[in-house]
Amino acid sequence: MAREQFSRVFWKIYDAYGTHPRYISNKGGTRSTKTYSTLQFLHRLIPLVDKPCDISSVVSETYPHLSRGAIRDFESIIGHPLIGDPHWSETNHTWTYDNGAKLEFWSADSPLKVHGSQRKRLFVNEANHIPWEIFRQMAVRTSGVIFIDYNPASVCWIQEKIESKDNCVLIKSTYKDNPFLTEMQVREIEDNQADANWWKVYGLGEEGSLEGLIYSFEQIDSLPEKDGNLIEIQGLDFGFTNDPTARVQILADHRKKVLYCRERCYQTHMQNKHIIADLQADGVGRGVEIYADCAEPKSIADIKEAGFKVIPCDKDAPVKSDKRLFQIQWMQGWKWYVTKDSVNLIRELRNYTWATDKDGNNLNEPIQKWDHCLDAVRYALFTRFGRDAGYGQYSISFSRKRYGHH
């Protein structure tokens, strides 16, 4: 068929499938054809390649949701109602192709189905509404490709556990990828631009965010090649029982205020000997500056003795009662890039917000959570570049503006 008969999303799925991935994740805004195009693709693939015993499953959170969504789309694809068609079993909600292969529709709130028999392919519709453990149970019973689609209204397991994998192809789409929308439908979507978060998720197909997130960032596949403009440093935040020890590798261009980060360690119950072994196994150069929490001088001394260049961080600031706030605001002036395998750092960035009181009013201080990797980055970045990047002038401006110092 000619490409014009399908949306761009269909052909992105077609191309992705040809690379033989484990996952194809369709992340996008409203009316981008994510669901429709995936069903279209399956409907054309199954009769061509499957055997009579092969089963592909289309799953959503509940059957009413499935009925109003994927099943209705499937009816549109075949061009008539399912009921009455000899290929369709209303009892089992299954379409049987002429080659004997089946496409079944069922809901993830059915334990018998979730923990049931194996299948060749899985399509999880609006996967962000399905818990990770249910998805995992379905995934381990799937021998072939797993398709996912969702509107990224909030952070969930998909970004952390699926899209971070090398065997996942991520497809991003918006209503602009759908050439079949009417002018009125396009106008209806674009009329919502004043609602910033709605527009970000459903108009632009980008991840929604919590109110009051402190840092913004972009994901990258890997750290860039080192050059004369990038300085490598590392940050180390000590933990033990409940809090992890976190270490982050940073490549920083202090002139452009751009940093590239990769999480290198995030573990609990690490003694100093374990931290040293981790640094050795990671091949950290003896000349690389590692900025660690100055509140742990014994740990710093132990790691130094093992031959690493560990430096106590600088927690100082011109405003003595508000050191961390000053440093955070200074760091907000940097452009952040984070490698997609930095799962815990990304989780922290997506959840690190300003604290609020019981009435929801901002307290102008960060929450006491989601900050282990971020503290490690702060120790390194601020200590190494805080004063080098005009710290003195910045501190005077800061003091006068916020605290009335003269």
Side-chain angles (χ1 to χ4, degrees):
M1 286 188 177
R3 282 182 176 252
E4 291 75 22
Q5 294 177 276
F6 303 95
S7 78
R8 284 189 287 271
V9 175
F10 175 90
W11 292 109
K12 288 178 182 179
I13 295 170
Y14 178 92
D15 292 338
Y17 188 85
T19 66
H20 308 291
R22 171 60 168 169
Y23 306 96
I24 298 176
S25 182
N26 253 296
K27 164 185 173 179
T30 187
R31 305 308 302 273
S32 71
T33 80
K34 299 182 300 297
T35 304
Y36 194 97
S37 292
T38 304
L39 291 170
Q40 241 183 343
F41 180 78
L42 289 172
H43 188 54
R44 281 151 181 79
L45 177 72
I46 293 171
L48 296 176
V49 302
D50 280 9
K51 300 175 182 178
C53 59
D54 289 337
I55 297 175
S56 296
S57 301
V58 180
V59 182
S60 197
E61 55 180 332
T62 65
Y63 189 77
H65 185 89
L66 194 66
S67 179
R68 292 192 299 268
I71 290 178
R72 187 175 295 174
D73 281 348
F74 190 71
E75 285 184 319
S76 176
I77 290 167
I78 64 173
H80 58 262
L82 288 167
I83 295 177
D85 191 302
H87 296 89
W88 178 251
S89 168
E90 182 64 21
T91 302
N92 300 318
H93 305 124
T94 300
W95 179 274
T96 302
Y97 291 88
D98 292 339
N99 64 352
K102 299 181 185 298
L103 181 65
E104 60 176 8
F105 295 78
W106 48 274
S107 61
D109 56 358
S110 170
L112 292 177
K113 289 286 187 179
V114 171
H115 297 275
S117 59
Q118 296 187 17
R119 66 193 62 82
K120 184 172 183 178
R121 296 181 202 85
L122 175 67
F123 172 30
V124 185
N125 171 233
E126 298 202 8
N128 53 322
H129 298 307
I130 294 175
W132 159 247
E133 185 55 40
I134 290 178
F135 175 86
R136 179 160 60 177
Q137 292 294 337
M138 295 188 292
V140 298
R141 292 167 173 81
T142 304
S143 61
V145 179
I146 297 174
F147 300 83
I148 292 170
D149 76 358
Y150 71 107
N151 298 119
S154 61
V155 175
C156 68
W157 54 265
I158 301 172
Q159 298 97 328
E160 299 175 359
K161 298 182 182 292
I162 302 300
E163 291 175 354
S164 62
K165 294 178 179 290
D166 292 334
N167 58 358
C168 176
V169 176
L170 173 61
I171 298 172
K172 298 181 181 179
S173 59
T174 73
Y175 67 97
K176 292 184 178 181
D177 291 297
N178 183 356
F180 307 111
L181 290 176
T182 66
E183 184 179 341
M184 185 176 295
Q185 288 173 312
V186 171
R187 189 183 305 120
E188 183 69 24
I189 294 170
E190 293 181 343
D191 281 347
N192 292 281
Q193 293 185 48
D195 186 334
N197 196 57
W198 190 99
W199 178 248
K200 184 177 182 182
V201 174
Y202 298 102
L204 302 178
E206 299 174 356
E207 283 178 16
S209 59
L210 297 173
E211 291 296 324
L213 282 177
I214 293 175
Y215 301 116
S216 60
F217 72 101
E218 292 183 22
Q219 289 191 55
I220 53 176
D221 290 333
S222 60
L223 293 177
E225 293 293 327
K226 297 178 187 177
D227 59 30
N229 297 321
L230 295 175
I231 298 174
E232 179 180 355
I233 55 177
Q234 298 205 8
L236 177 62
D237 184 41
F238 298 108
F240 192 69
T241 304
N242 297 317
D243 295 334
T245 294
R247 179 167 59 86
V248 179
Q249 179 185 10
I250 301 165
L251 297 180
D253 184 336
H254 68 286
R255 288 172 295 185
K256 294 183 178 178
K257 301 194 79 174
V258 175
L259 70 153
Y260 302 89
C261 300
R262 187 182 183 195
E263 173 190 322
R264 306 304 296 170
C265 177
Y266 197 88
Q267 297 180 45
T268 56
H269 297 94
M270 291 188 79
Q271 300 176 25
N272 291 338
K273 61 181 181 181
H274 300 135
I275 297 173
I276 293 167
D278 177 68
L279 288 165
Q280 293 169 338
D282 200 26
V284 177
R286 299 304 171 102
V288 174
E289 296 175 347
I290 305 169
Y291 295 89
D293 188 350
C294 60
E296 298 268 359
K298 182 180 181 300
S299 295
I300 290 174
D302 287 346
I303 301 170
K304 254 187 186 178
E305 191 174 342
F308 292 98
K309 192 173 182 178
V310 187
I311 302 169
C313 74
D314 182 1
K315 290 187 177 180
D316 200 6
V319 185
K320 300 298 183 182
S321 62
D322 217 350
K323 300 173 184 177
R324 184 168 61 161
L325 175 60
F326 176 86
Q327 294 186 5
I328 288 172
Q329 292 184 326
W330 178 82
M331 288 173 59
Q332 285 178 317
W334 288 68
K335 174 69 175 178
W336 292 56
Y337 293 95
V338 180
T339 61
K340 67 179 184 180
D341 60 354
S342 302
V343 175
N344 296 293
L345 173 55
I346 290 171
R347 182 187 297 118
E348 290 186 6
L349 283 163
R350 286 172 171 159
N351 290 278
Y352 194 50
T353 61
W354 297 111
T356 59
D357 61 20
K358 60 183 178 63
D359 298 318
N361 300 310
N362 287 332
L363 298 178
N364 208 28
E365 63 185 51
I367 58 173
Q368 301 295 313
K369 192 178 180 183
W370 307 109
D371 58 1
H372 310 296
C373 285
L374 293 177
D375 277 351
V377 174
R378 179 166 59 89
Y379 297 156
L381 196 68
F382 185 81
T383 306
R384 178 64 177 81
F385 299 112
R387 287 184 170 83
D388 290 349
Y391 173 94
Q393 291 83 355
Y394 186 90
S395 66
I396 294 172
S397 173
F398 179 91
S399 299
R400 287 179 177 173
K401 182 177 180 181
R402 280 188 55 80
Y403 295 92
H405 292 190
H406 301 286

